[in-house]
Amino acid sequence: MHPVNTAPFGVAVIGCGNISNQYLRNLARFPDVAVLACADLDAERAKAQAAAYGVPAWGSPADALAHPGVQLVVNLTIPAAHAEVTRAAIAAGKHVWSEKPLTLDLAAGRDLLSAAQAAGVRVGCAPDTVLGAGLQSARRLIDAGGIGTPLTALTLLQGPGPQAWHPDPEFLFAPGAGPLFDLGPYYLSVLAVLFGPALRVAATGRRPRESRVIGSGPRAGAEFAVAVPTYVAALAEYAAGQAASLLFSWDSPLIRHGFVEITGTEATLAVPDPNRFDGDLRVRRAGDDDWTVLPAVGAAAGRGSGVVDMVRAIRAGGPHRASGELALHVLEMMTAIERSALSGEFEPVETRFAVPEPLDPQWDPYVAAS
Ligand SMILES: NC(=O)c1ccc[n+]([C@@H]2O[C@H](COP(=O)([O-])OP(=O)(O)OC[C@H]3O[C@@H](n4cnc5c(N)ncnc54)[C@H](O)[C@@H]3O)[C@@H](O)[C@H]2O)c1
């Protein structure tokens, strides 16, 4: 007899701010995992989130890492703290799922992946929207030849920026964020999953306003500095031959987001919003007067799906899909885009990753893996 370990995988959430609500709500419903501890530099936040989501322990990040049942850390801290928190978790022998971006710079990202490999633990990274029904259906359609050979992509993300709704938006205008680093991972990860690795990028960047004003919450009205470009227009060329044009802007009053179109030799495919797990596909062939709508098939369970895929992969001994290597490549693209906006030159992209296998349409994080 070979007993199979089906006990829920012990998880600690470090960073109990805004996005922890989505994670804690979902992780509590996924039977393959059990959140055992909430931690934050701000102990009151950890305590409040533990109480709100029925998590049995709360404390400091060190307390969470010392918890004997914790096998995996979900790092939901601000981007500037990602490297430090992930490094500490790896050193404590824990697997890590990190919110995006993986780190602020490429060297720190590489260090984390080497440290994880040496320690025999895994790193996974958001966005796990690439596992959602919408993007998985797009992947299956393209793999089945539904648009012919994929040639190009056009992505648009524009709006006034998150200072209006986020109660603590400063980090979103600091290194590691701006529209490129905050939302670029969604768009660049979709293209990475559909096209594979990029070879080089070029870009233009602008920072029209040096400060912004918080629009909601207890600190509404406070002014803060903008440290990064809030308009970035980029070109990317992929190793498999495709080209992409991407726009990331927080300088427009006109909101347009979730726009990802892939054009192939036979048709253009409008992919659902890469910041969502669901959404229909729309296809337009030469001669069509309108789009053909194709419903997405598969799970759209939300943030935390990547944690479940990772836990199942650890148990099965196979690769997890939203991997640290994929996130490192996306990070390298963003840092190269940032450099190109300053240099005016194409910048090379050198990291590589294994393109993740599509998910089975039956994949379901709500049902325990047997
Ligand atoms: N808010 C969103 O809608 C959203 C959506 C997707 C992804 N994300 C990502 O999630 C992460 C967190 O975003 P947020 O909006 O929840 O931020 P937030 O500022 O609301 O919360 C971050 C929390 O991390 C804590 N923290 C900071 N440094 C820490 C450290 N060293 N150790 C432990 N705790 C620490 C803070 O005290 C705070 O409670 C970011 O990487 C962001 O890009 C946010």
Side-chain angles (χ1 to χ4, degrees):
M1 293 286 283
H2 297 282
V4 178
N5 182 4
T6 53
F9 217 73
V11 169
V13 168
I14 301 186
C16 290
N18 195 295
I19 202 62
S20 68
N21 291 299
Q22 286 187 31
Y23 272 92
L24 286 163
R25 189 194 65 214
N26 291 343
L27 293 174
R29 295 185 198 158
F30 297 157
D32 289 323
V33 295
V35 182
L36 303 179
C38 282
D40 199 293
L41 285 182
D42 179 341
E44 285 307 311
R45 284 192 175 190
K47 185 179 176 183
Q49 290 301 70
Y53 294 95
V55 175
W58 58 273
S60 67
D63 294 336
L65 297 185
H67 190 305
V70 169
Q71 297 163 278
L72 184 149
V73 164
V74 174
N75 178 358
L76 306 182
T77 61
I78 56 171
H82 285 176
E84 170 202 334
V85 170
T86 296
R87 192 176 300 114
I90 292 169
K94 315 291 186 192
H95 304 285
V96 182
W97 171 266
S98 173
E99 251 308 328
K100 45 77 190 164
L102 181 63
T103 54
L104 298 188
D105 63 79
L106 193 60
R110 281 189 205 276
D111 281 356
L112 287 185
L113 298 195
S114 318
Q117 195 173 25
V121 295
R122 300 212 192 181
V123 174
C125 188
D128 48 2
T129 44
V130 292
L131 305 182
L135 299 170
Q136 286 292 318
S137 299
R139 168 75 187 275
R140 287 193 295 270
L141 180 81
I142 291 175
D143 285 359
I147 63 165
T149 305
L151 301 173
T152 57
L154 174 64
T155 79
L156 290 177
L157 172 281
Q158 68 172 38
Q163 71 283 349
W165 64 268
H166 200 295
D168 298 305
E170 286 94 331
F171 82 85
L172 291 165
F173 294 85
L180 173 63
F181 279 74
D182 186 47
L183 295 163
Y186 298 105
Y187 295 80
L188 294 168
S189 298
V190 169
L191 298 190
V193 166
L194 297 179
F195 292 168
L199 285 183
R200 62 176 194 157
V201 294
T204 314
R206 292 290 184 272
R207 185 173 58 103
R209 282 181 283 164
E210 297 200 340
S211 69
R212 296 201 179 205
V213 174
I214 301 177
S216 72
R219 299 169 57 235
E223 193 170 346
F224 63 94
V226 174
V228 292
T230 46
Y231 170 96
V232 178
L235 301 174
E237 292 184 348
Y238 290 83
Q242 299 91 351
S245 313
L246 308 107
L247 178 73
F248 304 102
S249 170
W250 283 344
D251 287 311
S252 173
L254 175 62
I255 296 177
R256 267 200 204 117
H257 58 74
F259 186 108
V260 178
E261 283 182 3
I262 311 291
T263 294
T265 49
E266 310 298 326
T268 290
L269 165 66
V271 174
D273 187 337
N275 196 357
R276 294 184 59 90
F277 288 78
D278 55 2
D280 293 338
L281 280 59
R282 290 174 302 138
V283 178
R284 204 157 170 145
R285 298 176 177 281
D288 285 358
D289 291 335
D290 204 350
W291 295 96
T292 300
V293 177
L294 304 173
V297 177
R303 293 193 161 86
S305 298
V307 176
V308 174
D309 178 59
M310 199 170 148
V311 163
R312 290 180 180 175
I314 291 167
R315 287 194 158 148
H320 57 288
R321 290 176 175 79
S323 68
E325 288 73 18
L326 173 56
L328 189 74
H329 183 75
V330 166
L331 175 68
E332 186 186 15
M333 287 187 80
M334 296 190 295
T335 54
I337 286 170
E338 193 174 53
R339 266 199 324 278
S340 172
L342 294 172
S343 71
E345 306 286 335
F346 267 94
E347 297 284 341
V349 179
E350 285 161 358
T351 54
R352 295 291 175 261
F353 60 94
V355 176
E357 288 297 314
L359 274 175
D360 187 316
Q362 306 298 321
W363 189 85
D364 186 352
Y366 292 115
V367 178
S370 50

